Amino acid sequence: ASVVLELVPFSLQCVQSPGTKSAALDCVVSIINALGTKLMPRLNEVASVLIEVATSETEMAGGMDGDAPGSCLHQTMSALETLIASLGTFLTPHIKNLLKLLLSPRIASIEATVDIRAKESSEGARDQMAKVMAPRLLLDPVLSFLDSAIEFGEPSIMALISILRKILNEMDSSAASAYHAKVFEFLLRIFDMRGNEEIDIYNLSNVEEMAINSFLDLCLKLNEKAFNPLFLQILVWSES
């Protein structure tokens, strides 16, 4: 196992041929599934290299055919999804880089008609982050990413809110009560976008609809004591 662990980051860094890289990434997925927590001694190295490779593939992916360098995008997203699902609780040092990658404009805006496997794997990776990473570790980086998402554009904002909704759905009532103020502040910033002339989002209604659904998800997790101040705040905001 130790020899295999040493070869994983090496193979990802050194392989250049698209066909060989694709096979190497498929092999990495198999290794992650087979080793599980035995990957821990090399986890940080493997995660860093995988994010680096995925970022490189993302930059090369636009409009390329199956033999082009960007054709490995699906495999990189699949490998990330598998890594997060298997060892996501140990990937705290990489949360910001994962968000930067998975919410980047090219990844967030992948169309199913262009690369459905890459789209599904990237969505799966975001879903797994919300599912396996504790809210106390993931929520702050997600909420603080809003400015970057606004700069990236509507697909990134939608993907960011989608992660938040999944975090809320995974929360129990006690966690929701502990973090509801931060989440509400985040949602108010989205609701205020319509009055901000500096923010140019073409389908802002779609963003607002998803934010409203997130607000409802949050409210359903709260008891009366936590909900009442929130209700009063939203009334004050609506009249301002």
Side-chain angles (χ1 to χ4, degrees):
S2 61
V3 175
V4 174
L5 291 178
E6 290 178 8
L7 288 175
V8 171
F10 175 79
S11 63
L12 289 175
Q13 286 176 313
C14 295
V15 172
Q16 297 300 322
S17 166
T20 308
K21 184 183 289 187
S22 176
L25 287 163
D26 288 340
C27 183
V28 167
V29 171
S30 297
I31 290 171
I32 294 170
N33 285 327
L35 295 182
T37 54
K38 292 180 181 178
L39 192 63
M40 287 296 297
R42 295 274 180 171
L43 179 59
N44 282 330
E45 186 179 0
V46 171
S48 296
V49 172
L50 195 53
I51 292 171
E52 180 182 339
V53 172
T55 301
S56 175
E57 291 298 319
T58 300
E59 293 171 352
M60 295 186 293
M64 294 185 173
D65 58 32
D67 296 324
S71 62
C72 294
L73 183 59
H74 158 60
Q75 286 86 347
T76 58
M77 290 296 106
S78 178
L80 275 175
E81 180 184 7
T82 302
L83 184 67
I84 295 169
S86 299
L87 298 166
T89 53
F90 305 103
L91 292 174
T92 303
H94 303 279
I95 287 178
K96 290 184 178 180
N97 286 334
L98 284 169
L99 289 174
K100 184 178 179 181
L101 170 66
L102 294 172
L103 296 172
S104 64
R106 286 200 175 181
I107 294 299
S109 62
I110 294 176
E111 296 290 341
T113 53
V114 176
D115 192 339
I116 188 170
R117 295 184 302 171
K119 178 179 175 63
E120 290 176 347
S121 293
S122 60
E123 289 176 349
R126 292 193 291 264
D127 289 351
Q128 288 299 328
M129 287 186 72
K131 183 176 181 179
V132 305
M133 295 180 177
R136 63 184 176 82
L137 301 175
L138 181 59
L139 194 58
D140 281 344
V142 166
L143 299 181
S144 64
F145 200 84
L146 181 57
D147 287 331
S148 296
I150 292 173
E151 184 179 342
F152 288 162
E154 179 192 343
S156 295
I157 301 174
M158 297 287 282
L160 178 65
I161 300 174
S162 177
I163 293 178
L164 175 61
R165 288 199 69 186
K166 289 176 175 64
I167 293 174
L168 292 173
N169 289 331
E170 292 291 333
M171 277 185 182
D172 56 23
S173 296
S174 60
S177 296
Y179 300 114
H180 74 278
K182 290 182 178 181
V183 176
F184 182 65
E185 182 180 348
F186 170 90
L187 294 173
L188 276 186
R189 287 191 62 196
I190 295 175
F191 296 148
D192 282 333
M193 284 183 185
R194 187 169 291 276
N196 190 336
E197 295 180 356
E198 296 181 0
I199 297 177
D200 183 19
I201 304 296
Y202 182 70
N203 288 317
L204 185 55
S205 296
N206 293 340
V207 174
E208 290 172 333
E209 181 179 357
M210 184 170 272
I212 290 170
N213 288 332
S214 299
F215 177 71
L216 295 176
D217 291 339
L218 174 64
C219 291
L220 291 173
K221 295 279 185 176
L222 300 177
N223 56 33
E224 185 178 358
K225 182 179 179 181
F227 172 74
N228 283 341
L230 215 63
F231 179 70
L232 292 176
Q233 281 183 270
I234 202 69
L235 282 179
V236 171
W237 171 85
S238 67
E239 296 173 354
S240 63

